[in-house]
Structure formats: C-alpha cells, structure tokens
Amino acid sequence: MPNTQPTLQAALSQELRHELKLTRRLLERVPTAQFCWQPHPKSMTIGGLASHIANLVGFLELSLTGPDTDVTTVAMPNSATTDEVLRRFDVNGENIHKALEQVDDATFHGQWSLRHGEQILLTLPRAAVARTMVLNHLIHHRGQLSVYLRLLDIPVPAIYGGSADEAPQRA
C-alpha cells in the first residue's frame, strides 16, 4: 500500500501558509503612528513586536540553509512603518516556502545549532526549530499583538474563530 502521508516539509508548508495568512491580517492593522506605543514599560512597543514577528518568520529559512547560524552575523532590522513590516514579512514568508521546496524530510531530522560567535546557544533537530522556535513563537507573538490591538481599540480580526469585532473569514 503506498504511503499517503505528506512529507514533513509539505505538511509544514501547508500549515505555515495558513498561519502566515492569519498573522498578516493582524500586522496589516498595526498603525505606523502608534509604533512607539507599549502597554507597559516592560513590554515591547507595538512596532518592535510587529518587526519581531516579521523577522522571526525568516528564522526557519536560516535553519534550513546550513548546520548552524551565528546570531552576530544575522540582521534583524526594526521596521519603521507598517508597510515595511509587511514587505519584510512577505519576503520572509516567500523565502521560507522556497527553502522548504529544497529540502527533504531527512533534513528536518538533522541537527542545527544557534551560535553567538563561538558559543553554541542551543542545538535542536530542524523539526523542533520549525515547530517551537518559528511556528509556536509566531503564534505566541500573534496573540500578544491581538491584545495590543484590543488595548488600542483597533478591531481584532478573526483568527481561529470569530472575534468580538468580526466573523471568521473563509479561506
């Protein structure tokens, strides 16, 4: 009987497309004029949070392109406008899917390390990087961003169901 299970990278790609679409809907609502706003002095600004979300989307690509990544050599710029955040988010999203097309499941089971210069900060299988450091991390910060939007009285889009501001959109 043939294996009807999708490859790991195909399943991840499909899940990422869905999560990126939901995340972009929140990022579109971040007002440039409010980029310096933060709900608490210990919290990130809304602009910093939006930039972080756009940057972390590119982290999976980094883990797929070599055995390790040195954080001292990776640019993670803060965007100054919503349009810049969306452009970076879109480019990183496209690059993830291109990178996923170039790897096989064996690559996901291989180890990848995050370094700071010569110091190894962590080593994980790429599948764990994809799940915990990218997808779960993205969803966590998307939740944060939805609270920021609510506190600014900006309508929160439906994510996995309806929100107090709108019904769910059909894909």
Short mmCIF file of all heavy atoms in Angstrom, two decimals, residues 7-76:
data_model
loop_
_atom_site.label_atom_id
_atom_site.label_comp_id
_atom_site.label_asym_id
_atom_site.label_seq_id
_atom_site.Cartn_x
_atom_site.Cartn_y
_atom_site.Cartn_z
N THR A 7 4.91 14.62 2.99
CA THR A 7 6.24 14.76 3.58
C THR A 7 6.16 15.79 4.70
O THR A 7 5.23 16.60 4.76
CB THR A 7 7.26 15.24 2.52
OG1 THR A 7 6.86 16.54 2.06
CG2 THR A 7 7.38 14.26 1.37
N LEU A 8 7.13 15.74 5.56
CA LEU A 8 7.18 16.68 6.68
C LEU A 8 7.21 18.12 6.18
O LEU A 8 6.48 18.98 6.67
CB LEU A 8 8.41 16.37 7.54
CG LEU A 8 8.48 16.97 8.92
CD1 LEU A 8 7.24 16.64 9.74
CD2 LEU A 8 9.73 16.46 9.63
N GLN A 9 8.03 18.38 5.16
CA GLN A 9 8.12 19.75 4.67
C GLN A 9 6.84 20.17 3.97
O GLN A 9 6.45 21.34 4.04
CB GLN A 9 9.38 19.99 3.82
CG GLN A 9 9.23 19.93 2.34
CD GLN A 9 9.51 18.55 1.78
OE1 GLN A 9 9.49 17.54 2.48
NE2 GLN A 9 9.75 18.49 0.51
N ALA A 10 6.14 19.27 3.31
CA ALA A 10 4.87 19.62 2.66
C ALA A 10 3.80 19.94 3.70
O ALA A 10 3.04 20.90 3.55
CB ALA A 10 4.40 18.49 1.75
N ALA A 11 3.74 19.15 4.76
CA ALA A 11 2.78 19.42 5.83
C ALA A 11 3.08 20.74 6.52
O ALA A 11 2.18 21.53 6.79
CB ALA A 11 2.79 18.27 6.84
N LEU A 12 4.36 20.99 6.78
CA LEU A 12 4.75 22.24 7.42
C LEU A 12 4.44 23.43 6.51
O LEU A 12 3.95 24.46 6.97
CB LEU A 12 6.23 22.21 7.78
CG LEU A 12 6.77 23.49 8.41
CD1 LEU A 12 6.09 23.77 9.75
CD2 LEU A 12 8.28 23.39 8.59
N SER A 13 4.71 23.29 5.25
CA SER A 13 4.45 24.37 4.30
C SER A 13 2.97 24.73 4.29
O SER A 13 2.61 25.92 4.30
CB SER A 13 4.92 23.96 2.91
OG SER A 13 4.74 25.02 2.00
N GLN A 14 2.12 23.73 4.28
CA GLN A 14 0.68 23.97 4.28
C GLN A 14 0.25 24.68 5.57
O GLN A 14 -0.51 25.65 5.54
CB GLN A 14 -0.07 22.65 4.13
CG GLN A 14 -1.57 22.81 4.08
CD GLN A 14 -2.28 21.48 3.90
OE1 GLN A 14 -1.67 20.42 3.89
NE2 GLN A 14 -3.58 21.54 3.76
N GLU A 15 0.75 24.21 6.70
CA GLU A 15 0.42 24.83 7.98
C GLU A 15 0.94 26.27 8.05
O GLU A 15 0.25 27.18 8.50
CB GLU A 15 0.99 24.01 9.13
CG GLU A 15 0.57 24.48 10.49
CD GLU A 15 1.03 23.56 11.61
OE1 GLU A 15 1.68 22.53 11.35
OE2 GLU A 15 0.73 23.89 12.77
N LEU A 16 2.16 26.48 7.58
CA LEU A 16 2.74 27.82 7.58
C LEU A 16 1.93 28.78 6.72
O LEU A 16 1.71 29.93 7.11
CB LEU A 16 4.18 27.78 7.07
CG LEU A 16 5.25 27.54 8.11
CD1 LEU A 16 6.58 27.25 7.45
CD2 LEU A 16 5.36 28.70 9.08
N ARG A 17 1.49 28.33 5.55
CA ARG A 17 0.69 29.22 4.69
C ARG A 17 -0.54 29.73 5.44
O ARG A 17 -0.87 30.91 5.39
CB ARG A 17 0.26 28.49 3.42
CG ARG A 17 1.33 28.36 2.40
CD ARG A 17 0.82 27.77 1.08
NE ARG A 17 1.91 27.23 0.31
CZ ARG A 17 2.84 27.94 -0.30
NH1 ARG A 17 2.80 29.25 -0.22
NH2 ARG A 17 3.80 27.36 -0.97
N HIS A 18 -1.19 28.82 6.15
CA HIS A 18 -2.39 29.19 6.90
C HIS A 18 -2.04 30.17 8.02
O HIS A 18 -2.68 31.22 8.17
CB HIS A 18 -3.05 27.93 7.46
CG HIS A 18 -4.26 28.21 8.28
ND1 HIS A 18 -5.44 28.64 7.74
CD2 HIS A 18 -4.46 28.15 9.62
CE1 HIS A 18 -6.32 28.82 8.70
NE2 HIS A 18 -5.75 28.53 9.86
N GLU A 19 -1.02 29.86 8.81
CA GLU A 19 -0.65 30.72 9.95
C GLU A 19 -0.11 32.07 9.49
O GLU A 19 -0.36 33.09 10.14
CB GLU A 19 0.37 30.00 10.85
CG GLU A 19 -0.17 28.75 11.51
CD GLU A 19 -1.40 28.95 12.38
OE1 GLU A 19 -1.60 30.07 12.91
OE2 GLU A 19 -2.17 27.99 12.54
N LEU A 20 0.63 32.09 8.39
CA LEU A 20 1.15 33.36 7.88
C LEU A 20 0.01 34.26 7.40
O LEU A 20 0.03 35.47 7.61
CB LEU A 20 2.16 33.12 6.76
CG LEU A 20 3.47 32.46 7.17
CD1 LEU A 20 4.35 32.23 5.94
CD2 LEU A 20 4.20 33.24 8.23
N LYS A 21 -0.99 33.66 6.78
CA LYS A 21 -2.15 34.43 6.32
C LYS A 21 -2.87 35.07 7.51
O LYS A 21 -3.21 36.25 7.47
CB LYS A 21 -3.09 33.51 5.55
CG LYS A 21 -4.34 34.18 5.03
CD LYS A 21 -5.21 33.19 4.27
CE LYS A 21 -6.54 33.80 3.88
NZ LYS A 21 -7.42 32.81 3.25
N LEU A 22 -3.07 34.30 8.57
CA LEU A 22 -3.73 34.83 9.77
C LEU A 22 -2.90 35.94 10.41
O LEU A 22 -3.42 36.97 10.83
CB LEU A 22 -3.97 33.71 10.78
CG LEU A 22 -4.95 32.61 10.37
CD1 LEU A 22 -4.95 31.50 11.41
CD2 LEU A 22 -6.34 33.17 10.16
N THR A 23 -1.59 35.72 10.48
CA THR A 23 -0.70 36.69 11.11
C THR A 23 -0.66 37.99 10.33
O THR A 23 -0.68 39.08 10.90
CB THR A 23 0.71 36.09 11.25
OG1 THR A 23 0.62 34.89 12.03
CG2 THR A 23 1.67 37.06 11.92
N ARG A 24 -0.62 37.88 9.01
CA ARG A 24 -0.56 39.08 8.18
C ARG A 24 -1.78 39.97 8.41
O ARG A 24 -1.69 41.20 8.42
CB ARG A 24 -0.44 38.73 6.70
CG ARG A 24 -0.07 39.94 5.84
CD ARG A 24 0.08 39.57 4.37
NE ARG A 24 0.83 40.55 3.63
CZ ARG A 24 0.40 41.79 3.33
NH1 ARG A 24 -0.81 42.19 3.72
NH2 ARG A 24 1.16 42.61 2.64
N ARG A 25 -2.93 39.36 8.63
CA ARG A 25 -4.15 40.12 8.87
C ARG A 25 -4.01 41.01 10.12
O ARG A 25 -4.52 42.12 10.16
CB ARG A 25 -5.36 39.19 9.02
CG ARG A 25 -5.68 38.47 7.71
CD ARG A 25 -6.95 37.65 7.78
NE ARG A 25 -8.08 38.54 7.98
CZ ARG A 25 -9.04 38.33 8.89
NH1 ARG A 25 -9.02 37.27 9.65
NH2 ARG A 25 -10.03 39.17 9.02
N LEU A 26 -3.31 40.53 11.14
CA LEU A 26 -3.07 41.35 12.32
C LEU A 26 -2.04 42.43 12.04
O LEU A 26 -2.21 43.58 12.43
CB LEU A 26 -2.60 40.48 13.50
CG LEU A 26 -3.71 40.01 14.42
CD1 LEU A 26 -4.45 38.85 13.82
CD2 LEU A 26 -3.16 39.68 15.78
N LEU A 27 -0.96 42.05 11.36
CA LEU A 27 0.10 43.03 11.06
C LEU A 27 -0.43 44.19 10.24
O LEU A 27 0.01 45.33 10.41
CB LEU A 27 1.26 42.35 10.33
CG LEU A 27 2.10 41.39 11.16
CD1 LEU A 27 3.10 40.66 10.27
CD2 LEU A 27 2.81 42.10 12.30
N GLU A 28 -1.37 43.92 9.33
CA GLU A 28 -1.96 44.98 8.50
C GLU A 28 -2.63 46.05 9.33
O GLU A 28 -2.76 47.20 8.88
CB GLU A 28 -3.00 44.38 7.54
CG GLU A 28 -2.41 43.52 6.45
CD GLU A 28 -3.47 42.74 5.68
OE1 GLU A 28 -4.66 42.69 6.11
OE2 GLU A 28 -3.11 42.16 4.64
N ARG A 29 -3.05 45.72 10.53
CA ARG A 29 -3.81 46.65 11.36
C ARG A 29 -2.93 47.46 12.31
O ARG A 29 -3.44 48.33 13.02
CB ARG A 29 -4.87 45.88 12.14
CG ARG A 29 -5.86 45.25 11.18
CD ARG A 29 -6.96 44.54 11.85
NE ARG A 29 -7.77 43.86 10.84
CZ ARG A 29 -9.02 43.54 10.99
NH1 ARG A 29 -9.65 43.83 12.11
NH2 ARG A 29 -9.68 42.92 10.04
N VAL A 30 -1.65 47.17 12.35
CA VAL A 30 -0.75 47.92 13.24
C VAL A 30 -0.55 49.32 12.66
O VAL A 30 -0.03 49.46 11.55
CB VAL A 30 0.60 47.20 13.40
CG1 VAL A 30 1.57 48.05 14.22
CG2 VAL A 30 0.41 45.82 14.03
N PRO A 31 -0.95 50.36 13.38
CA PRO A 31 -0.82 51.71 12.84
C PRO A 31 0.61 52.25 13.00
O PRO A 31 1.16 52.25 14.11
CB PRO A 31 -1.80 52.53 13.67
CG PRO A 31 -1.95 51.77 14.96
CD PRO A 31 -1.67 50.32 14.64
N THR A 32 1.19 52.69 11.92
CA THR A 32 2.54 53.27 11.95
C THR A 32 2.61 54.38 13.00
O THR A 32 3.61 54.49 13.73
CB THR A 32 2.93 53.80 10.57
OG1 THR A 32 2.97 52.70 9.64
CG2 THR A 32 4.29 54.47 10.59
N ALA A 33 1.58 55.18 13.10
CA ALA A 33 1.57 56.31 14.04
C ALA A 33 1.68 55.86 15.50
O ALA A 33 2.05 56.64 16.37
CB ALA A 33 0.30 57.14 13.85
N GLN A 34 1.39 54.59 15.76
CA GLN A 34 1.44 54.05 17.12
C GLN A 34 2.65 53.16 17.37
O GLN A 34 2.72 52.48 18.38
CB GLN A 34 0.16 53.24 17.40
CG GLN A 34 -1.11 54.04 17.35
CD GLN A 34 -1.37 54.77 18.66
OE1 GLN A 34 -0.65 54.64 19.62
NE2 GLN A 34 -2.42 55.58 18.66
N PHE A 35 3.62 53.13 16.47
CA PHE A 35 4.75 52.20 16.59
C PHE A 35 5.49 52.29 17.92
O PHE A 35 6.07 51.31 18.36
CB PHE A 35 5.73 52.38 15.42
CG PHE A 35 5.58 51.38 14.32
CD1 PHE A 35 4.35 50.95 13.90
CD2 PHE A 35 6.70 50.85 13.70
CE1 PHE A 35 4.20 50.02 12.89
CE2 PHE A 35 6.58 49.92 12.68
CZ PHE A 35 5.32 49.50 12.28
N CYS A 36 5.49 53.41 18.56
CA CYS A 36 6.21 53.57 19.83
C CYS A 36 5.34 53.22 21.05
O CYS A 36 5.82 53.22 22.17
CB CYS A 36 6.73 55.00 19.98
SG CYS A 36 8.06 55.35 18.80
N TRP A 37 4.06 52.91 20.81
CA TRP A 37 3.17 52.60 21.92
C TRP A 37 3.52 51.24 22.52
O TRP A 37 3.86 50.29 21.82
CB TRP A 37 1.71 52.58 21.43
CG TRP A 37 0.73 52.28 22.53
CD1 TRP A 37 0.17 53.18 23.38
CD2 TRP A 37 0.22 51.00 22.89
NE1 TRP A 37 -0.66 52.53 24.26
CE2 TRP A 37 -0.64 51.19 23.98
CE3 TRP A 37 0.42 49.70 22.40
CZ2 TRP A 37 -1.32 50.14 24.59
CZ3 TRP A 37 -0.25 48.66 23.01
CH2 TRP A 37 -1.11 48.88 24.09
N GLN A 38 3.43 51.17 23.85
CA GLN A 38 3.62 49.90 24.54
C GLN A 38 2.65 49.86 25.71
O GLN A 38 2.38 50.88 26.35
CB GLN A 38 5.07 49.71 24.99
CG GLN A 38 5.59 50.75 25.94
CD GLN A 38 7.09 50.71 26.12
OE1 GLN A 38 7.75 51.65 25.76
NE2 GLN A 38 7.61 49.64 26.67
N PRO A 39 2.10 48.68 26.01
CA PRO A 39 1.09 48.59 27.06
C PRO A 39 1.68 48.71 28.47
O PRO A 39 0.95 48.99 29.42
CB PRO A 39 0.47 47.22 26.85
CG PRO A 39 1.52 46.43 26.17
CD PRO A 39 2.28 47.41 25.32
N HIS A 40 2.98 48.52 28.59
CA HIS A 40 3.64 48.54 29.89
C HIS A 40 5.12 48.82 29.65
O HIS A 40 5.65 48.42 28.61
CB HIS A 40 3.46 47.17 30.57
CG HIS A 40 3.95 47.12 31.96
ND1 HIS A 40 5.28 46.88 32.27
CD2 HIS A 40 3.31 47.27 33.14
CE1 HIS A 40 5.43 46.88 33.57
NE2 HIS A 40 4.25 47.11 34.13
N PRO A 41 5.79 49.49 30.56
CA PRO A 41 7.22 49.78 30.34
C PRO A 41 8.09 48.54 30.12
O PRO A 41 9.13 48.63 29.46
CB PRO A 41 7.63 50.51 31.63
CG PRO A 41 6.37 51.08 32.18
CD PRO A 41 5.27 50.11 31.77
N LYS A 42 7.68 47.39 30.61
CA LYS A 42 8.46 46.16 30.41
C LYS A 42 8.09 45.46 29.10
O LYS A 42 8.72 44.48 28.73
CB LYS A 42 8.25 45.18 31.57
CG LYS A 42 8.84 45.67 32.88
CD LYS A 42 8.62 44.65 33.97
CE LYS A 42 9.18 45.13 35.30
NZ LYS A 42 8.93 44.14 36.37
N SER A 43 7.07 45.93 28.42
CA SER A 43 6.60 45.30 27.18
C SER A 43 7.30 45.90 25.98
O SER A 43 7.75 47.05 26.00
CB SER A 43 5.09 45.52 27.02
OG SER A 43 4.38 44.97 28.09
N MET A 44 7.35 45.12 24.90
CA MET A 44 7.84 45.65 23.62
C MET A 44 6.87 46.71 23.12
O MET A 44 5.68 46.65 23.43
CB MET A 44 7.91 44.54 22.55
CG MET A 44 9.09 43.64 22.64
SD MET A 44 9.20 42.59 21.15
CE MET A 44 8.31 41.15 21.74
N THR A 45 7.39 47.62 22.31
CA THR A 45 6.50 48.55 21.61
C THR A 45 5.75 47.75 20.55
O THR A 45 6.19 46.67 20.12
CB THR A 45 7.28 49.68 20.92
OG1 THR A 45 8.11 49.11 19.90
CG2 THR A 45 8.10 50.48 21.92
N ILE A 46 4.63 48.29 20.10
CA ILE A 46 3.87 47.58 19.07
C ILE A 46 4.67 47.49 17.77
O ILE A 46 4.64 46.47 17.08
CB ILE A 46 2.47 48.20 18.85
CG1 ILE A 46 1.58 47.23 18.05
CG2 ILE A 46 2.56 49.58 18.22
CD1 ILE A 46 0.11 47.62 18.03
N GLY A 47 5.45 48.53 17.46
CA GLY A 47 6.31 48.48 16.27
C GLY A 47 7.42 47.45 16.42
O GLY A 47 7.74 46.74 15.48
N GLY A 48 8.00 47.37 17.60
CA GLY A 48 9.04 46.37 17.86
C GLY A 48 8.49 44.95 17.78
O GLY A 48 9.13 44.05 17.24
N LEU A 49 7.28 44.76 18.31
CA LEU A 49 6.64 43.45 18.25
C LEU A 49 6.32 43.06 16.81
O LEU A 49 6.60 41.93 16.39
CB LEU A 49 5.37 43.45 19.10
CG LEU A 49 4.56 42.16 19.14
CD1 LEU A 49 5.39 40.98 19.65
CD2 LEU A 49 3.31 42.36 20.02
N ALA A 50 5.78 43.99 16.04
CA ALA A 50 5.47 43.72 14.63
C ALA A 50 6.74 43.38 13.86
O ALA A 50 6.77 42.43 13.06
CB ALA A 50 4.75 44.91 14.01
N SER A 51 7.82 44.13 14.10
CA SER A 51 9.10 43.86 13.44
C SER A 51 9.63 42.49 13.84
O SER A 51 10.14 41.74 13.00
CB SER A 51 10.13 44.93 13.79
OG SER A 51 9.79 46.16 13.21
N HIS A 52 9.52 42.16 15.12
CA HIS A 52 9.99 40.85 15.60
C HIS A 52 9.25 39.73 14.90
O HIS A 52 9.85 38.74 14.46
CB HIS A 52 9.82 40.78 17.12
CG HIS A 52 10.27 39.49 17.73
ND1 HIS A 52 11.58 39.05 17.66
CD2 HIS A 52 9.58 38.55 18.41
CE1 HIS A 52 11.68 37.89 18.29
NE2 HIS A 52 10.48 37.56 18.74
N ILE A 53 7.94 39.87 14.76
CA ILE A 53 7.14 38.86 14.07
C ILE A 53 7.61 38.71 12.63
O ILE A 53 7.79 37.59 12.14
CB ILE A 53 5.64 39.22 14.15
CG1 ILE A 53 5.12 39.03 15.58
CG2 ILE A 53 4.82 38.38 13.16
CD1 ILE A 53 3.73 39.60 15.82
N ALA A 54 7.81 39.82 11.95
CA ALA A 54 8.26 39.78 10.55
C ALA A 54 9.63 39.11 10.43
O ALA A 54 9.89 38.36 9.50
CB ALA A 54 8.29 41.18 9.95
N ASN A 55 10.51 39.38 11.39
CA ASN A 55 11.86 38.81 11.36
C ASN A 55 11.86 37.33 11.71
O ASN A 55 12.58 36.54 11.08
CB ASN A 55 12.78 39.56 12.32
CG ASN A 55 13.14 40.93 11.82
OD1 ASN A 55 13.23 41.17 10.62
ND2 ASN A 55 13.34 41.86 12.73
N LEU A 56 11.09 36.94 12.71
CA LEU A 56 11.17 35.53 13.14
C LEU A 56 10.64 34.58 12.08
O LEU A 56 11.04 33.42 12.03
CB LEU A 56 10.51 35.32 14.50
CG LEU A 56 9.01 35.20 14.64
CD1 LEU A 56 8.55 33.77 14.43
CD2 LEU A 56 8.62 35.64 16.04
N VAL A 57 9.81 35.08 11.19
CA VAL A 57 9.33 34.26 10.08
C VAL A 57 10.52 33.77 9.22
O VAL A 57 10.49 32.68 8.67
CB VAL A 57 8.31 35.04 9.23
CG1 VAL A 57 7.97 34.34 7.95
CG2 VAL A 57 7.06 35.29 10.04
N GLY A 58 11.57 34.56 9.14
CA GLY A 58 12.75 34.19 8.37
C GLY A 58 13.69 33.23 9.08
O GLY A 58 14.63 32.72 8.48
N PHE A 59 13.42 32.95 10.33
CA PHE A 59 14.32 32.11 11.11
C PHE A 59 14.36 30.67 10.60
O PHE A 59 15.41 30.02 10.62
CB PHE A 59 13.91 32.15 12.58
CG PHE A 59 15.04 31.97 13.51
CD1 PHE A 59 15.93 33.00 13.74
CD2 PHE A 59 15.23 30.77 14.16
CE1 PHE A 59 16.99 32.85 14.59
CE2 PHE A 59 16.28 30.60 15.03
CZ PHE A 59 17.17 31.64 15.24
N LEU A 60 13.24 30.16 10.13
CA LEU A 60 13.22 28.79 9.61
C LEU A 60 14.14 28.66 8.41
O LEU A 60 14.88 27.68 8.29
CB LEU A 60 11.79 28.37 9.26
CG LEU A 60 11.64 26.95 8.69
CD1 LEU A 60 12.20 25.91 9.65
CD2 LEU A 60 10.19 26.67 8.38
N GLU A 61 14.10 29.63 7.53
CA GLU A 61 14.98 29.59 6.36
C GLU A 61 16.44 29.51 6.81
O GLU A 61 17.22 28.74 6.25
CB GLU A 61 14.78 30.83 5.49
CG GLU A 61 15.68 30.84 4.28
CD GLU A 61 15.66 32.15 3.52
OE1 GLU A 61 15.08 33.13 4.01
OE2 GLU A 61 16.25 32.18 2.44
N LEU A 62 16.82 30.27 7.82
CA LEU A 62 18.20 30.22 8.33
C LEU A 62 18.57 28.82 8.79
O LEU A 62 19.67 28.36 8.55
CB LEU A 62 18.37 31.21 9.50
CG LEU A 62 18.31 32.68 9.18
CD1 LEU A 62 18.34 33.50 10.46
CD2 LEU A 62 19.45 33.08 8.25
N SER A 63 17.64 28.15 9.45
CA SER A 63 17.94 26.81 9.97
C SER A 63 18.05 25.77 8.86
O SER A 63 18.65 24.73 9.05
CB SER A 63 16.90 26.38 11.00
OG SER A 63 15.69 25.99 10.38
N LEU A 64 17.47 26.07 7.70
CA LEU A 64 17.49 25.11 6.60
C LEU A 64 18.68 25.29 5.67
O LEU A 64 18.94 24.44 4.82
CB LEU A 64 16.19 25.23 5.78
CG LEU A 64 14.91 24.86 6.51
CD1 LEU A 64 13.70 25.16 5.62
CD2 LEU A 64 14.92 23.40 6.94
N THR A 65 19.39 26.39 5.81
CA THR A 65 20.44 26.70 4.84
C THR A 65 21.85 26.35 5.32
O THR A 65 22.80 26.61 4.59
CB THR A 65 20.39 28.18 4.44
OG1 THR A 65 20.53 28.98 5.62
CG2 THR A 65 19.09 28.52 3.73
N GLY A 66 21.98 25.77 6.48
CA GLY A 66 23.31 25.39 6.94
C GLY A 66 23.24 24.66 8.27
O GLY A 66 22.17 24.54 8.86
N PRO A 67 24.38 24.19 8.76
CA PRO A 67 24.39 23.43 10.00
C PRO A 67 24.19 24.29 11.25
O PRO A 67 23.84 23.79 12.30
CB PRO A 67 25.77 22.78 10.02
CG PRO A 67 26.62 23.69 9.19
CD PRO A 67 25.70 24.26 8.14
N ASP A 68 24.43 25.60 11.10
CA ASP A 68 24.26 26.50 12.24
C ASP A 68 24.06 27.92 11.75
O ASP A 68 24.25 28.23 10.58
CB ASP A 68 25.45 26.41 13.20
CG ASP A 68 26.78 26.76 12.54
OD1 ASP A 68 26.81 27.54 11.57
OD2 ASP A 68 27.81 26.25 13.00
N THR A 69 23.67 28.77 12.68
CA THR A 69 23.53 30.19 12.41
C THR A 69 24.15 30.95 13.56
O THR A 69 23.88 30.66 14.72
CB THR A 69 22.04 30.59 12.26
OG1 THR A 69 21.47 29.86 11.18
CG2 THR A 69 21.88 32.07 12.00
N ASP A 70 24.97 31.92 13.23
CA ASP A 70 25.59 32.79 14.21
C ASP A 70 24.78 34.07 14.28
O ASP A 70 24.70 34.83 13.31
CB ASP A 70 27.04 33.09 13.79
CG ASP A 70 27.79 33.93 14.80
OD1 ASP A 70 27.17 34.46 15.75
OD2 ASP A 70 29.02 34.07 14.64
N VAL A 71 24.16 34.32 15.43
CA VAL A 71 23.28 35.49 15.55
C VAL A 71 24.03 36.81 15.40
O VAL A 71 23.41 37.84 15.09
CB VAL A 71 22.49 35.50 16.89
CG1 VAL A 71 21.51 34.35 16.93
CG2 VAL A 71 23.42 35.49 18.09
N THR A 72 25.35 36.78 15.55
CA THR A 72 26.11 38.03 15.38
C THR A 72 26.24 38.42 13.91
O THR A 72 26.66 39.53 13.61
CB THR A 72 27.51 37.93 16.02
OG1 THR A 72 28.28 36.94 15.33
CG2 THR A 72 27.42 37.61 17.50
N THR A 73 25.88 37.52 13.00
CA THR A 73 26.01 37.80 11.57
C THR A 73 24.67 37.97 10.87
O THR A 73 24.62 38.14 9.66
CB THR A 73 26.79 36.69 10.87
OG1 THR A 73 26.02 35.47 10.93
CG2 THR A 73 28.16 36.48 11.50
N VAL A 74 23.58 37.90 11.63
CA VAL A 74 22.24 37.96 11.04
C VAL A 74 21.59 39.30 11.36
O VAL A 74 21.50 39.69 12.52
CB VAL A 74 21.35 36.81 11.59
CG1 VAL A 74 19.95 36.90 11.03
CG2 VAL A 74 21.97 35.46 11.29
N ALA A 75 21.16 40.00 10.33
CA ALA A 75 20.48 41.28 10.51
C ALA A 75 19.01 41.04 10.77
O ALA A 75 18.34 40.37 10.01
CB ALA A 75 20.66 42.15 9.27
N MET A 76 18.52 41.58 11.86
CA MET A 76 17.10 41.53 12.20
C MET A 76 16.63 42.97 12.42
O MET A 76 16.52 43.45 13.54
CB MET A 76 16.87 40.69 13.47
CG MET A 76 17.21 39.24 13.33
SD MET A 76 15.97 38.41 12.34
CE MET A 76 16.67 36.77 12.27
#
